[in-house]
Amino acid sequence: EYVQPASLVSLSHAVKLKDKYYCLFYENGLYYFSPYRRHFFILSEDGTVQQADIPKTAERGYIDLFVRNDSVLMKSYMNRGTHYFDIPAKRWTEIEDADDVIYEDADYTVTYLSFGEWGETTWFRNKHTGNEYELYLYGEIVNKVDSAFYISSAHRILRIDNPEALAPCDFHRFY
């Protein structure tokens, strides 16, 4: 009832907030020239599924879905819009553009951007020196265990003991 018959549906983004998963699915028609659609679903741990509309600016192009301050946010890069998901009302509200911070502690701020077919980059910014270091690789999931950073993807886990050993940024390469 949510998707078209004979279509390919795949999960593109998912975040968990409290006991629910907030998920974006990408639907493509049976033939690749068919237009695609995005769907936003809220899945509870008991199996309940709810659907909510997505903002018009997020229907096409590159987007991110993330949790910040107990809120679900969606950022559209091509259409330059950030939206907050009002959970009780189940609707998106446009807000001031959010930054791309995916991890922060006392020493580092970590940001990540995906440029689609042009690649992905993760930046570590030292809060004490202001210096930035980059890892030209996917890094939307960052965890810190003891003193090491772990960047996870579906295919690998990278351990970074010292972000300052990464490529230093300069005026040509910076976040």
Side-chain angles (χ1 to χ4, degrees):
E1 94 188 47
Y2 296 116
V3 298
Q4 303 170 35
S7 63
L8 174 65
V9 179
S10 57
L11 177 67
S12 64
H13 297 77
V15 294
K16 184 176 182 182
L17 178 61
K18 299 181 181 167
D19 62 342
K20 294 186 179 174
Y21 296 90
Y22 298 85
C23 308
L24 275 170
F25 287 86
Y26 180 88
E27 178 187 11
N28 208 342
L30 186 58
Y31 304 103
Y32 285 105
F33 56 82
S34 301
Y36 71 86
R37 298 186 318 171
R38 285 194 172 124
H39 302 281
F40 182 72
F41 294 105
I42 305 152
L43 312 172
S44 67
E45 291 182 344
D46 68 4
T48 305
V49 177
Q50 298 175 315
Q51 185 177 25
D53 291 332
I54 63 170
K56 291 285 184 197
T57 58
E59 290 176 350
R60 299 276 185 254
Y62 304 116
I63 59 171
D64 269 336
L65 185 69
F66 53 96
V67 173
R68 180 154 320 140
N69 300 329
D70 286 335
S71 297
V72 177
L73 300 178
M74 182 186 301
K75 183 172 181 175
S76 172
Y77 292 96
M78 296 185 80
N79 297 314
R80 307 262 184 222
T82 301
H83 291 79
Y84 153 81
F85 187 65
D86 183 336
I87 294 172
K90 293 187 182 38
R91 72 171 179 259
W92 294 96
T93 303
E94 190 164 6
I95 60 171
E96 187 175 317
D97 203 21
D99 60 29
D100 301 297
V101 173
I102 56 168
Y103 177 88
E104 186 170 8
D105 64 15
D107 298 316
Y108 289 96
T109 301
V110 182
T111 54
Y112 164 81
L113 283 175
S114 171
F115 305 101
E117 61 267 23
W118 292 286
E120 303 168 68
T121 303
T122 303
W123 290 269
F124 287 80
R125 182 180 168 276
N126 183 312
K127 289 182 168 183
H128 307 291
T129 65
N131 294 335
E132 294 181 359
Y133 306 88
E134 75 172 338
L135 176 65
Y136 184 67
L137 198 59
Y138 47 84
E140 65 265 30
I141 302 171
V142 175
N143 291 291
K144 189 173 183 182
V145 178
D146 297 326
S147 62
F149 291 92
Y150 292 86
I151 298 181
S152 306
S153 75
H155 306 289
R156 69 170 93 170
I157 299 173
L158 298 174
R159 178 181 170 149
I160 299 174
D161 292 313
N162 179 8
E164 296 181 23
L166 299 173
C169 294
D170 58 25
F171 68 93
H172 292 294
R173 297 181 348 192
F174 60 92
Y175 171 72

